[in-house]
Amino acid sequence: MIGVVTPGLETSVQDLPGRIGYWEQGFPPSGPMDSWSFRLANLLVGNGPEAAALECQFIGPALRFDAATVIAVTGADMKPKLDGQPIESWTTIPVQAGQVLALGSAAAGARAYIAIAGGIDTPPVLGSRSTFHMAGVGGVEGYALKAGQALPVGRGRAVPRRRVRRDRRPEIVARRDWQIEVVRGPNDDWIDEEGHRRFFASDWKLQAKSNRTGLRLTGPEFTFAPRAYEKRPEHGQHPSNILDHGYPLGAINLAGQTPIILVNDAPSTGGFINPYTVPTATFWKLAQSRPGDIYRFIEIDIEAAQTLRRQLDRLCSLDSLEPI
Amino acid sequence: MIYDRPRFAPGGDRIIEFELGDEMSFELNFLVHTLARRIRESRVKGVIELIPEMASIQVSYDPDLISYRDLTEELLTLRASIGDLSSLELASRIYYVPILYFDPWTRECTEDYRAKLAEKEPDPDLLVRMNGLKDRAHLKQVHSGTEYWVAALGFWPGLCSLMPLDPRCRLTAPKYNPPRTWTPKGTIGLGGALTCIYPDQTPGGYQIFARTPMPIWDRLQRLKAFKSSLALFKAGDRVRFVPVDRAEYDEIAARVDDGSYEHQFADYQKFSIRGYQSWLAEIASPQREAAQ
């Protein structure tokens, strides 16, 4: 068991690929936003990449271990300490019974991951341990960690101490600007050419009102193609309105004039257009960016997006670890 | 209209939007659910999840197993295999949903909204006025006078979009502007031409005027109806609202609380477009008054 001393800010249990098979009933997949850092944390402690681990957001938790085990911390730099002594991130760390791991606030990036040998063993709900706290599903009784809770842990196996090679880690530094890949569609034909040009040529600022559901952006106004005006009344009045349809994860959802990038805990359907979609391999950038950061979008095609995903999957393997 | 040739659009590296038409109609939605069933039955390689909606299906897939282009070809072939729409049949259950019209909870919620967010006409009065009805009793009669088709699920776990099957009972309403920050669990709302049941306390934008004590979603899976699924409805089910009085409402609510409540429903029956269309033809006049 692991005792939660302090919970941090919305620290949650997540697993991969998350809750699959219930999207049509309104359940998003959930799962870790930065699945690159998440998978490597699990590999460092001898777990499969999919095992349940903790996602910390902006401020990490303090945890007390009641038995000896190995852990790893990856992702955002939250200055982890074990019984007050700084420890290295991206490394297998042995801990003794009674020791306390404490994470601080993120010095670079936004989301850190804590994996424990054997994985977190909370009861799966609809096939997944991932927390979807908006509906109180999964995780620990449906919600983010609370002080005083105890987390069950599965049985781990002995692993050598290893670290993630430098060139196999996501580049998480204190930065203000990001290049974010997007694929056009599904509703790019509702935006006019000048609107597309402006979208790709402008800086987009990440608002503080962003979370695991969506990332809100501030930037110039969109302009629309004739299709957005010449439509049946059931689509709605505003040019960004469309007959209710499914929302892809990563969709840049245009609600009025506010683009919201839909991420892991997003609504499954709704009545706004999605002119662009951020591909899977770029999600770690969304996960590690902070309010006030600037996005510039670049267009890639479907094949390039799929190639990026395959390359990332290859990085999330044991080949990326080296002995200490 | 239903497109002669469906449209495809990508949603990043692992999703296809498969658009079959551009209007809200029963035939189009029936086609969506029939096609969704065929995609599942034919176990198209690489397909992970489907979200059938009003006029489109979102398909998520594993690009390591099938390419975007090959998947669109598979989907086109399945669409072409559906011949004449009128011969389609779909298995559909019907649920009987007890409903208390003009209940105190939705009234309290609307009053809270009017006090804190924006002044507006009380929701039932707005529905009566905009739909040319005589009074609230008339609204209750029209709203409960039809079976509804569960056209889609989504936005929130368990939330259902209901289309009235009897055109004489079609009601329309604008949505809240700005939306509500909260809605009581079990509230019945109406926006556009759709009715919805709010599965939990959530934000919302539909006009509200009634409440059901019958849960349609239960994350703790206490009642029998939720043993295999947290959400009650599946797309293609039907709903009939059964008006109850306050005493019946409280009795049902008490049985829900003690865990003994059993949902009233009729199991899967064949629902056919031809049967539906001939029933529509039998209705002498498309005027609402004819139903009374």
Side-chain angles (χ1 to χ4, degrees):
Chain A
M1 294 291 238
I2 298 170
V4 179
V5 182
T6 58
L9 193 66
E10 288 272 321
T11 304
S12 64
V13 177
Q14 300 294 341
D15 65 2
L16 271 176
R19 192 161 285 106
I20 304 299
Y22 302 89
W23 216 359
E24 62 176 310
Q25 291 181 12
F27 294 87
S30 300
M33 282 184 64
D34 172 2
S35 71
W36 186 353
S37 300
F38 179 92
R39 285 182 277 181
L40 289 170
N42 267 323
L43 294 175
L44 283 168
V45 301
N47 295 342
E50 75 293 339
L54 294 176
E55 177 175 277
C56 317
Q57 307 189 102
F58 296 100
I59 301 170
L63 307 170
R64 185 188 307 277
F65 297 86
D66 80 345
T69 183
V70 295
I71 62 166
V73 182
T74 64
D77 179 11
M78 293 191 185
K79 307 290 178 204
K81 290 179 179 170
L82 196 59
D83 280 352
Q85 296 299 311
I87 56 167
E88 243 189 288
S89 293
W90 303 98
T91 305
T92 314
I93 304 282
V95 299
Q96 304 305 317
Q99 285 194 302
V100 173
L101 170 74
L103 272 57
S105 52
R111 289 180 173 82
Y113 295 89
I114 305 172
I116 299 113
I120 292 171
D121 196 24
T122 46
V125 177
L126 302 177
S128 168
R129 294 185 171 86
S130 284
T131 309
F132 175 41
H133 78 276
M134 302 272 288
V137 167
V140 186
E141 291 158 13
Y143 298 98
L145 299 194
K146 297 183 182 81
Q149 282 177 333
L151 294 175
V153 179
R155 186 182 293 270
R157 52 198 171 91
V159 285
R161 286 197 65 178
R162 287 173 294 193
R163 73 161 70 87
V164 179
R165 294 174 197 270
R166 289 252 164 225
D167 60 350
R168 309 291 171 89
R169 304 176 189 177
E171 195 194 332
I172 301 171
V173 294
R175 57 148 50 91
R176 305 305 291 174
D177 63 302
W178 300 83
Q179 181 175 287
I180 304 289
E181 293 83 5
V182 295
V183 178
R184 279 199 196 210
N187 312 117
D188 51 309
D189 55 341
W190 290 54
I191 302 294
D192 67 5
E193 271 318 305
E194 178 55 21
H196 287 303
R197 195 204 57 76
R198 204 180 297 111
F199 175 76
F200 287 109
S202 302
D203 286 344
W204 294 89
K205 190 173 184 178
L206 183 60
Q207 295 183 17
K209 271 196 298 183
S210 296
N211 54 31
R212 283 178 47 87
T213 299
L215 279 68
R216 285 168 188 261
L217 305 176
T218 306
E221 299 234 315
F222 280 84
T223 47
F224 298 90
R227 185 176 182 190
Y229 299 96
E230 297 156 7
K231 59 191 177 189
R232 291 170 181 275
E234 57 261 41
H235 288 269
Q237 280 77 40
H238 192 274
S240 70
N241 291 174
I242 191 171
L243 198 60
D244 274 30
H245 64 142
Y247 282 169
L249 274 202
I252 301 187
N253 183 252
L254 192 57
Q257 283 287 1
T258 302
I260 304 174
I261 308 180
L262 301 177
V263 287
N264 304 54
D265 288 354
S268 57
T269 67
F272 292 106
I273 58 167
N274 303 307
Y276 315 97
T277 306
V278 178
T280 315
T282 302
F283 265 54
W284 72 270
K285 298 182 184 178
L286 306 177
Q288 298 300 356
S289 45
R290 303 160 65 104
D293 282 4
I294 300 296
Y295 288 169
R296 284 297 281 263
F297 293 102
I298 59 156
E299 185 179 355
I300 60 171
D301 63 18
I302 302 170
E303 287 72 25
Q306 293 174 343
T307 301
L308 284 177
R309 176 155 99 148
R310 284 184 197 110
Q311 287 168 346
L312 181 55
D313 286 350
R314 277 198 293 276
L315 287 180
C316 296
S317 71
L318 290 171
D319 292 343
S320 292
L321 307 187
E322 61 186 4
I324 296 176
Chain B
M1 74 176 203
I2 296 180
Y3 298 154
D4 291 335
R5 189 177 165 83
R7 295 160 51 101
F8 295 98
D13 55 324
R14 54 179 172 169
I15 282 166
I16 292 181
E17 180 156 288
F18 186 20
E19 199 186 19
L20 295 156
D22 69 349
E23 68 175 348
M24 191 162 82
S25 79
F26 176 77
E27 281 77 7
L28 184 47
N29 187 252
F30 200 91
L31 173 62
V32 162
H33 293 301
T34 302
L35 191 52
R37 188 185 56 173
R38 294 226 175 156
I39 296 168
R40 290 196 178 94
E41 285 172 355
S42 63
R43 297 178 188 279
V44 179
K45 184 177 62 176
V47 168
I48 300 170
E49 288 194 272
L50 304 179
I51 303 179
E53 251 290 345
M54 288 295 157
S56 62
I57 306 177
Q58 179 176 304
V59 183
S60 66
Y61 65 101
D62 181 345
D64 289 338
L65 298 178
I66 191 163
S67 71
Y68 179 88
R69 185 173 298 276
D70 287 349
L71 182 49
T72 59
E73 290 303 319
E74 294 270 3
L75 295 172
L76 277 178
T77 305
L78 286 170
R79 168 65 185 96
S81 74
I82 297 172
D84 176 18
L85 275 187
S86 66
S87 65
L88 294 181
E89 286 189 334
L90 210 57
S92 165
R93 307 175 292 185
I94 182 162
Y95 276 91
Y96 300 94
V97 179
I99 181 174
L100 178 63
Y101 284 91
F102 318 120
D103 65 283
W105 303 281
T106 56
R107 194 184 322 137
E108 186 200 342
C109 174
T110 338
E111 280 165 12
D112 181 63
Y113 177 92
R114 293 169 68 192
K116 292 179 184 157
L117 281 167
E119 183 50 46
K120 78 179 283 296
E121 187 176 8
D123 303 24
D125 300 337
L126 179 146
L127 285 165
V128 166
R129 180 175 59 80
M130 294 197 72
N131 290 283
L133 303 170
K134 289 198 285 285
D135 51 19
R136 289 184 175 205
H138 194 189
L139 170 62
K140 172 177 166 179
Q141 183 186 15
V142 171
H143 185 262
S144 63
T146 176
E147 276 181 19
Y148 290 85
W149 176 255
V150 179
L153 297 164
F155 172 68
W156 201 272
L159 195 136
C160 53
S161 296
L162 303 171
M163 279 167 77
L165 282 170
D166 187 335
R168 297 166 301 182
C169 295
R170 182 180 268 224
L171 300 165
T172 58
K175 294 165 196 173
Y176 271 48
N177 182 24
R180 280 184 307 279
T181 54
W182 67 283
T183 312
K185 176 181 178 170
T187 290
I188 314 298
L190 202 152
L194 294 171
T195 285
C196 81
I197 306 174
Y198 288 94
D200 215 334
Q201 181 162 317
T202 72
Y206 282 17
Q207 307 292 330
I208 57 177
F209 52 94
R211 193 180 183 199
T212 178
M214 183 190 100
I216 63 162
W217 135 265
D218 178 12
R219 68 183 187 87
L220 300 175
Q221 298 182 280
R222 282 172 59 246
L223 300 175
K224 189 178 165 190
F226 299 106
K227 291 303 174 212
S228 63
S229 172
L230 275 67
L232 187 67
F233 297 120
K234 292 193 165 52
D237 285 340
R238 283 163 297 145
V239 165
R240 168 70 84 166
F241 290 111
V242 182
V244 296
D245 61 22
R246 178 62 191 267
E248 289 170 279
Y249 183 100
D250 289 344
E251 194 192 318
I252 293 168
R255 280 192 282 131
V256 169
D257 282 345
D258 72 21
S260 67
Y261 180 75
E262 289 194 24
H263 290 67
Q264 302 299 305
F265 71 104
D267 216 338
Y268 287 104
Q269 307 148 324
K270 287 287 182 199
F271 189 86
S272 82
I273 285 224
R274 183 169 290 136
Y276 177 58
Q277 284 169 336
S278 60
W279 175 77
L280 283 182
E282 274 171 29
I283 301 173
S285 152
Q287 300 304 306
R288 186 176 294 126
E289 281 69 26
Q292 293 138 40

